[in-house]
Amino acid sequence: MKQMNKNTVVSLLLAGMALGTAWAIRGQFGHEQGAAWAGGIGSLCIILLAKNKSWYNKAMKAAFAGAVGWGLGGMMSYGAVVGYGRGVDFVNVYYGLTMLFVIGGLYGLIGGGLFGLVLADTPKKKVKWHQVIMEMTVGGIIFYYFIIEQLGIAMTPPRSEAWGVCAGMGLALMYYLARTKQYSAIRVAMYGGLGAGFGFGFGNFLQVMGNVAEVPFNMWNVMEYSLGFFGGLGVAYGTFTGTWPKEEAAPHYSYKNLTLPMLGFLLFIPFFVWQQSFIERDLAPTLGKLIEDPEIWVSMVRWVALVAFLVPAVYWITLFSEKKGKRGQDFNEKEVLGVFVTYFSVYIIFTILITGSFLSFYRIEQFLYILNFLVILFLLQKFKPEIATNMPKPAKWGYKLVAILLFLALLSLIAISIHGEMPGMNKRFGA
């Protein structure tokens, strides 16, 4: 973008804050379902920032696609890779940061690519979603079994090498986008990948620096926020600078192909997070550190969390279902904003409940989520980015990739020069 005015800069920062905050919360839940919830929040925020009225009817589909894309990355293991970045020699530290770049890049590439593909899906140029799913599935299987099983190229031995599945899916998605000339979606995928990849590597560096300086804060959370912030910023930049097709308003609201995205986004993802995270055997030790008799509180927390996501899910699903086939009943900005606010709020409620932060201030970052959320809401409708379209320039993406890798090398040199062996340090190479 040649001219970055105030509106555009603030819009990019808000998109980064939204996904950064959600991704930091995601660290409390982990796995695919937590990543999916965060990805959906970031996707919705970008749609609201763009203020493109023709995208509001696509909001549920785009958010669900973004959620699925970011959620797929949740299968990747990166604990050992983070440990490489805590090492004392350049080879292991640089390997750790660059592999985190790869892992983060796959999050942003797939999440941004699927999100952008929904925005590019029009009646005149329909996306064959069954074909996309099939090709990504086959791509993930082939890449994993050829690269990991046959060639034995491992990133995180003896941990899971599911990154190979994501890499295969990402390559298959990019091949589909290129073959069908979905250049704007490619742009979103590339900037999402570069942003999230950089954010993960840079975030690990920040974590190490914070630990060395003995900063009294959850520095792992800082690393997670960095991944989400730069990933959200990248997806937003790719979206705001893409060339998107103009769409004519439909005479009637269409419910076609909306059932799965709506149920998946509003109901299934929160349910799986609740079902996997609010388990009595996990809640009891956490709350037991804060109160003497946690049994009643454990039960209360589980029921409050269930009601917190179920009530808004039923409300929105019912409201949108009743629009079916009616004239002048398109989604509007107010409704999309309402979904964003409730969806984001419930995620914050979940993390406050599961950490017991409603009983104690021992986890200060939990309350910073609320501050971030309030800032986003206050500024969300006050700024609109300048949509300056740019054609895809693969050479520039290559230059940016090289620049990031060189910057990560510099960070690696800085890191090994200021600390010795650290807790949690891993070695991939050497004795």
Side-chain angles (χ1 to χ4, degrees):
M1 191 176 290
K2 294 181 179 180
Q3 294 183 342
M4 296 284 285
N5 60 24
K6 178 182 177 181
N7 282 338
T8 302
V9 171
V10 174
S11 296
L12 291 172
L13 292 176
L14 289 175
M17 287 178 64
L19 187 53
T21 304
W23 201 264
I25 294 173
R26 178 258 174 179
Q28 196 61 52
F29 303 104
H31 306 297
E32 295 86 348
Q33 62 272 12
W37 199 333
I41 289 172
S43 300
L44 265 187
C45 185
I46 292 171
I47 290 177
L48 287 167
L49 286 166
K51 296 177 175 59
N52 185 333
K53 293 182 180 179
S54 66
W55 286 357
Y56 294 147
N57 277 352
K58 293 182 172 183
M60 294 300 101
K61 293 180 182 178
F64 183 63
V68 170
W70 287 91
L72 287 171
M75 71 176 74
M76 293 185 285
S77 172
Y78 55 79
V81 187
V82 170
Y84 301 145
R86 302 171 71 86
V88 293
D89 63 283
F90 177 79
V91 173
N92 279 292
V93 173
Y94 186 56
Y95 175 79
L97 296 189
T98 53
M99 290 304 100
L100 288 175
F101 171 79
V102 171
I103 294 171
L106 290 172
Y107 275 119
L109 182 82
I110 300 174
L114 291 177
F115 171 74
L117 194 54
V118 172
L119 299 184
D121 189 4
T122 65
K124 293 182 178 180
K125 193 175 183 180
K126 292 293 295 180
V127 173
K128 299 179 181 178
W129 287 103
H130 63 284
Q131 188 173 344
V132 175
I133 295 171
M134 181 182 67
E135 290 185 15
M136 290 181 66
T137 302
V138 173
I141 293 172
I142 292 176
F143 188 97
Y144 178 84
Y145 278 98
F146 181 70
I147 300 297
I148 309 299
E149 296 294 337
Q150 294 299 318
L151 298 184
I153 299 176
M155 178 193 291
T156 63
R159 299 286 188 89
S160 165
E161 301 292 340
W163 68 271
V165 178
C166 292
M169 288 191 294
L171 289 172
L173 175 61
M174 293 302 290
Y175 177 63
Y176 176 88
L177 296 178
R179 196 175 71 248
T180 56
K181 299 181 180 180
Q182 296 286 10
Y183 299 126
S184 291
I186 291 176
R187 185 178 186 83
V188 178
M190 290 302 299
Y191 279 111
L194 290 172
F198 169 78
F200 210 178
F202 180 60
N204 192 28
F205 171 78
L206 294 178
Q207 181 194 189
V208 171
M209 295 302 98
N211 292 154
V212 171
E214 298 183 349
V215 176
F217 192 77
N218 184 346
M219 295 307 297
W220 185 281
N221 212 229
V222 171
M223 177 182 69
E224 294 167 329
Y225 190 96
S226 177
L227 189 163
F229 178 84
F230 288 102
L233 193 150
V235 173
Y237 180 80
T239 303
F240 297 157
T241 57
T243 305
W244 303 102
K246 293 183 179 180
E247 300 180 57
E248 297 179 0
H252 294 278
Y253 168 79
S254 175
Y255 200 71
K256 185 179 180 182
N257 298 327
L258 187 61
T259 303
L260 178 59
M262 190 168 61
L263 290 175
F265 181 68
L266 296 172
L267 183 62
F268 294 154
I269 291 173
F271 170 76
F272 288 131
V273 171
W274 176 82
Q275 188 265 339
Q276 292 292 314
S277 302
F278 287 85
I279 304 172
E280 184 173 353
R281 68 171 182 271
D282 295 334
L283 287 172
T286 300
L287 298 181
K289 296 177 183 178
L290 305 174
I291 51 179
E292 293 184 0
D293 186 11
E295 291 186 9
I296 297 177
W297 287 94
V298 168
S299 179
M300 183 192 72
V301 163
R302 296 185 75 238
W303 280 104
V304 169
L306 177 64
V307 173
F309 86 82
L310 202 55
V311 170
V314 171
Y315 171 78
W316 289 116
I317 291 171
T318 302
L319 177 67
F320 296 147
S321 299
E322 290 176 349
K323 289 174 173 283
K324 182 178 180 181
K326 294 182 180 180
R327 184 181 295 273
Q329 291 292 321
D330 291 351
F331 282 33
N332 56 51
E333 182 182 11
K334 183 178 179 180
E335 290 168 340
V336 177
L337 177 62
V339 173
F340 174 75
V341 171
T342 53
Y343 205 69
F344 207 157
S345 299
V346 172
Y347 208 29
I348 294 175
I349 290 171
F350 267 35
T351 189
I352 295 292
L353 289 174
I354 202 169
T355 58
S357 297
F358 62 97
L359 295 170
S360 170
F361 288 95
Y362 81 112
R363 294 282 296 271
I364 188 63
E365 77 278 358
Q366 303 294 309
F367 302 95
L368 292 178
Y369 300 152
I370 300 175
L371 178 61
N372 273 256
F373 178 56
L374 293 176
V375 170
I376 293 167
L377 289 188
F378 179 72
L379 298 176
L380 188 60
Q381 294 179 293
K382 297 180 181 294
F383 295 90
K384 179 180 178 181
E386 293 279 335
I387 308 295
T389 58
N390 289 315
M391 293 300 293
K393 296 179 180 179
K396 285 193 174 182
W397 296 335
Y399 298 148
K400 289 180 173 66
L401 173 62
V402 172
I404 290 173
L405 294 178
L406 290 175
F407 185 68
L408 293 179
L410 176 61
L411 296 184
S412 301
L413 289 172
I414 295 173
I416 63 175
S417 67
I418 62 174
H419 69 81
E421 293 190 3
M422 300 179 65
M425 183 185 77
N426 287 328
K427 274 193 174 184
R428 179 68 174 88
F429 306 102

